[in-house]
């Protein structure tokens, strides 16, 4: 009977405090959507229906970005986060999903109806021209990118959200960047969000640096003398907001109790 319950309900929640009531936002938190604010966040681990989504919503609400991208995102988790943002914090977002995998061990659900997993882009302004592409080689797990057009910084912008192959697969990431970079190059104004699983001076990121700059003005490949804020619990810079045809006014990295990645937020210059 116990085994049957596990199958029907899905993976159990990981250890750690669960959030039952909406947490109060810290002093200085945003009170409404901030125009031109962009955020990227890999919300796993833990994955699936962890019970942490209200805490995740509170961390996003603290910054109230106009547009944000989530990676390693189960659709069920994104649905809950989006609902909590509106219900408890009055922040209303549209969503586009970039599902690349359906896997019960990742997102729960029934074995014959596993949860959807991949990227998501949420925006307070309308999104159009959605494109979802899986990379020909995902590495150990299916990977891809999601792209939409929306308005950021006073004009239309193409927003990409991606998650590249895991850190021990640089050759696979290089092939993935060779797919992504030409798509980004088609646009004069683009924002590329995501977990690239590579440090700034990794050779596979060369095509991205040739097209765009990271939101952190001090963050450049080591050969250019750059120094970057780290964005993961293992003190590496893996997460990026690449800007093409746009400039950042400021940025912030914020640690989280609900993921092994930090939130990376940037404010894009408007006008």
């Amino acid at each position: 009977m116990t085994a049957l319950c596990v199958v029907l309900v899905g993976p159990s929640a990981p250890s750690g405090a669960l959030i039952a009531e909406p947490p109060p936002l810290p002093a200085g938190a945003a009170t409404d959507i901030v125009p031109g604010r962009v955020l990227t966040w890999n919300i796993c681990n833990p994955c699936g229906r962890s019970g942490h989504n209200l805490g995740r919503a509170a961390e996003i609400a603290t910054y109230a970005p106009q547009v944000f991208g989530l990676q390693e995102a189960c659709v069920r988790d994104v649905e809950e986060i989006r609902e909590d943002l509106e219900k408890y914090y009055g922040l209303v977002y549209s969503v586009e999903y970039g599902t690349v995998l359906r896997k019960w061990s990742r997102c729960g659900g029934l074995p014959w109806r596993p949860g959807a997993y991949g990227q998501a882009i949420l925006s307070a302004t309308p999104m159009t021209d959605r494109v979802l592409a899986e990379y020909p080689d995902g590495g150990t797990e299916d990977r891809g990118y999601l792209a939409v057009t929306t308005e950021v910084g006073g004009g239309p912008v193409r927003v990409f959200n991606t998650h590249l192959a895991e850190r021990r697969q640089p050759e696979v990431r290089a092939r993935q960047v060779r797919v992504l970079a030409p798509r980004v190059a088609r646009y004069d104004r683009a924002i590329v969000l995501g977990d690239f699983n590579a440090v700034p001076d990794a050779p596979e990121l060369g095509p991205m640096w040739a097209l765009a700059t990271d939101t952190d003005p001090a963050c450049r490949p080591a050969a250019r003398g750059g120094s970057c804020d780290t964005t993961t619990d293992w003190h590496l810079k893996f997460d990026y907001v690449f800007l093409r045809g746009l400039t950042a006014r400021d940025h912030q990295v914020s640690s989280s109790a609900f993921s092994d990645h930090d939130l990376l937020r940037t404010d894009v210059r408007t006008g």
Side-chain angles (χ1 to χ4, degrees), residues 190-268:
I191 299 172
V192 187
L193 312 171
D195 174 5
F196 284 73
N197 269 319
V199 294
D201 59 353
E204 62 267 29
L205 293 191
M208 291 306 305
W209 288 114
L211 291 171
T213 58
D214 185 64
T215 181
D216 180 353
C219 184
R220 301 292 182 268
R224 303 182 196 175
S227 176
C228 308
D229 293 333
T230 61
T231 63
T232 65
D233 285 357
W234 45 96
H235 307 298
L236 294 171
K237 162 81 170 179
F238 278 179
D239 304 273
Y240 297 82
V241 176
F242 282 111
L243 301 176
R244 175 174 169 83
L246 298 156
T247 57
R249 186 161 48 84
D250 62 8
H251 78 284
Q252 181 178 354
V253 175
S254 302
S255 61
S256 171
F258 305 103
S259 174
D260 55 3
H261 285 251
D262 302 331
L263 296 84
L264 174 57
R265 184 269 300 168
T266 186
D267 289 344
V268 173

Side-chain angles (χ1 to χ4, degrees), residues 20-235:
E21 297 293 334
L25 300 185
T31 57
D32 203 351
I33 299 290
V34 180
R37 179 164 291 177
V38 180
L39 182 145
T40 186
W41 191 16
N42 181 324
I43 62 173
C44 191
N45 287 301
C47 296
R49 298 180 67 83
S50 65
H52 289 358
N53 289 329
L54 185 50
R56 290 169 174 152
E59 294 193 354
I60 294 167
T62 297
Y63 304 104
Q66 181 182 344
V67 179
F68 63 99
L70 303 176
Q71 303 89 42
E72 291 202 70
C74 296
V75 167
R76 292 185 184 93
D77 285 339
V78 177
E79 288 172 343
E80 290 183 4
I81 291 168
R82 184 181 174 219
E83 290 170 2
D84 290 342
L85 283 166
E86 181 172 2
K87 179 178 179 180
Y88 297 115
Y89 304 108
L91 303 176
V92 179
Y93 293 97
S94 300
V95 62
E96 292 288 356
Y97 292 103
T99 296
V100 294
L101 183 67
R102 294 184 182 275
K103 192 172 183 181
W104 175 76
S105 63
R106 273 291 193 184
C107 296
L110 301 174
W112 56 90
R113 192 181 176 187
Y117 171 85
Q119 287 76 242
I121 296 175
L122 294 94
S123 176
T125 48
M127 293 180 283
T128 61
D129 304 319
R130 172 187 176 272
V131 170
L132 168 62
E134 288 193 41
Y135 295 121
D137 182 0
T140 54
E141 184 177 82
D142 294 350
R143 298 289 165 92
Y145 72 83
L146 172 66
V148 301
T149 297
T150 189
E151 183 175 316
V152 180
V157 178
R158 193 65 170 166
V159 179
F160 294 80
N161 184 17
T162 193
H163 183 201
L164 300 190
E166 63 97 15
R167 67 173 107 171
R168 297 174 183 86
Q169 297 180 301
E171 297 86 358
V172 178
R173 290 196 302 274
R175 291 193 290 271
Q176 293 170 347
V177 171
R178 286 198 292 269
V179 172
L180 176 64
R183 274 58 171 189
V184 176
R186 295 174 182 174
Y187 299 91
D188 294 330
R189 287 165 53 91
I191 299 172
V192 187
L193 312 171
D195 174 5
F196 284 73
N197 269 319
V199 294
D201 59 353
E204 62 267 29
L205 293 191
M208 291 306 305
W209 288 114
L211 291 171
T213 58
D214 185 64
T215 181
D216 180 353
C219 184
R220 301 292 182 268
R224 303 182 196 175
S227 176
C228 308
D229 293 333
T230 61
T231 63
T232 65
D233 285 357
W234 45 96
H235 307 298

